[in-house]
Amino acid sequence: EYRDPRDKRTPDIPELYDLTTDINENRNLYSSDHPVVKECNHIISNRMQAISEISPKRASSVLGLEN
């Protein structure tokens, strides 16, 4: 996916924090098999599939999901 080369703020890795216990975002909980990540990826994939300009195959492959 495209990333603006001028973007110096966005981290190079995905992030997931529990802001109820880690308000300073010190502990990155992200892992591809984390239940929240799986749920979010599924929601995003479904939304992408609803956009006619994006093929269903691409919508699933972007997030590493299978149809």
Side-chain angles (χ1 to χ4, degrees), residues 16 30-45 63 65:
L16 175 66
Y30 179 86
S31 71
S32 61
D33 61 344
H34 191 289
V36 172
V37 171
K38 286 182 173 185
E39 180 182 357
C40 289
N41 283 349
H42 182 72
I43 291 167
I44 293 167
S45 177
L63 300 169
L65 304 174

Side-chain angles (χ1 to χ4, degrees), residues 39-67:
E39 180 182 357
C40 289
N41 283 349
H42 182 72
I43 291 167
I44 293 167
S45 177
N46 285 343
R47 177 62 186 115
M48 288 176 70
Q49 289 179 26
I51 300 171
S52 61
E53 293 84 5
I54 301 174
S55 73
K57 181 178 179 181
R58 174 151 168 73
S60 292
S61 68
V62 164
L63 300 169
L65 304 174
E66 298 177 18
N67 280 337

